[in-house]
Amino acid sequence: DVKVTQSSRYLVKRTGEKVFLECVQDMDHENMFWYRQDPGLGLRLIYFSYDVKMKEKGDIPEGYSVSREKKERFSLILESASTNQTSMYLCATGDERGPSYEQYFGPGTRLTVT
Amino acid sequence: LAKTTQPISMDSYEGQEVNITCSHNNIATNDYITWYQQFPSQGPRFIIQGYKTKVTNEVASLFIPADRKSSTLSLPRVSLSDTAVYYCLVGDYNTDKLIFGTGTRLQVFP
């Protein structure tokens, strides 16, 4: 079974703090994704990576950056957290480009910025 | 940007067939249509995927018309455990980006 783990299930941070969300996968997948999920808006793609040190912007990259130094690890960084970044963050992996394959999701991190 | 729309919610009773439609008016030519199921406090889980016509697996069927501007997820004989949110996922023709639908909350009653 594919396992996708995220560093925290729940996180509370203050406005202006730097926040790191980590995602680790054990299936040697090429592609990794970060989404945020908000009521009424569904899942929106923030960034994705199709190889180590490669990254591409999704639909809502503003206010976020990512890092992929190793194949199994994909980090989402909030340089200066703001209250509008309070959300559920989901990491996903897959082994081919594009949506023509199954994505495997982690359990999510619920981030609250106060 | 493609709009991928789904009904916000649907109600059903155990044993009934449920059909959830997703409209994707700007789907990328070569991309598949994928459906996911999400339970509370969990990440989405793959259900089924198709390119055109009909696909069936042990969980669901997926119907895709020739123009591929919509797709219908069909769940036969739902049970209480099918209560979840269902999302479609497609690639956008213009941007080549992934677009999730806004999700359909299915509530199954006994």
Side-chain angles (χ1 to χ4, degrees):
Chain A
D1 266 357
V2 176
K3 195 160 184 188
V4 182
T5 57
Q6 296 183 226
S7 48
S8 307
R9 290 302 304 271
Y10 300 93
L11 209 52
V12 179
K13 295 291 182 180
R14 293 190 182 278
T15 301
E17 278 193 86
K18 190 168 186 175
V19 182
F20 291 89
L21 302 181
E22 284 225 306
C23 176
V24 179
Q25 51 112 348
D26 67 357
M27 282 300 291
D28 202 36
H29 283 170
E30 301 292 334
N31 299 316
M32 297 187 75
F33 305 80
W34 275 106
Y35 295 90
R36 65 177 282 177
Q37 185 173 31
D38 301 287
L41 298 175
L43 288 96
R44 293 179 292 167
L45 182 64
I46 304 172
Y47 268 98
F48 68 99
S49 167
Y50 54 88
D51 202 353
V52 175
K53 297 193 186 295
M54 304 299 288
K55 61 183 179 183
E56 294 218 15
K57 293 180 181 179
D59 293 324
I60 51 165
E62 297 78 19
Y64 303 95
S65 62
V66 290
S67 172
R68 189 148 180 221
E69 297 296 320
K70 293 184 178 181
K71 190 174 185 179
E72 68 271 18
R73 194 178 295 267
F74 192 34
S75 301
L76 179 69
I77 303 153
L78 288 65
E79 293 288 342
S80 178
S82 63
T83 54
N84 64 11
Q85 292 178 309
T86 291
S87 185
M88 169 69 85
Y89 290 88
L90 289 156
C91 173
T93 76
D95 58 4
E96 287 182 14
R97 293 194 67 177
S100 303
Y101 62 93
E102 181 176 348
Q103 290 191 37
Y104 300 86
F105 285 83
T109 296
R110 186 166 293 283
L111 172 67
T112 302
V113 182
T114 61
Chain B
L1 198 65
K3 284 198 69 172
T4 308
T5 56
Q6 302 176 230
I8 293 173
S9 64
M10 297 181 73
D11 291 337
S12 182
Y13 291 95
E14 281 190 292
Q16 289 188 333
E17 179 184 77
V18 171
N19 296 308
I20 304 173
T21 297
C22 177
S23 297
H24 26 80
N25 60 347
N26 205 38
I27 184 173
T29 304
N30 298 319
D31 274 340
Y32 280 59
I33 298 158
T34 312
W35 282 80
Y36 291 81
Q37 176 191 55
Q38 186 178 24
F39 297 112
S41 302
Q42 294 184 23
R45 185 174 66 114
F46 173 91
I47 302 174
I48 196 167
Q49 181 183 85
Y51 183 77
K52 60 181 178 181
T53 63
K54 178 184 174 184
V55 178
T56 297
N57 63 20
E58 64 278 6
V59 176
S61 294
L62 180 59
F63 298 91
I64 304 168
D67 66 6
R68 299 189 354 107
K69 292 185 185 295
S70 66
S71 58
T72 299
L73 174 73
S74 181
L75 304 172
R77 297 179 300 282
V78 294
S79 64
L80 296 177
S81 62
D82 292 316
T83 293
V85 180
Y86 293 84
Y87 292 94
C88 61
L89 172 65
V90 302
D92 177 63
Y93 179 82
N94 292 324
T95 66
D96 201 29
K97 289 184 177 176
L98 304 171
I99 308 288
F100 268 97
T102 50
T104 299
R105 184 174 300 278
L106 172 65
Q107 179 68 54
V108 180
F109 294 96

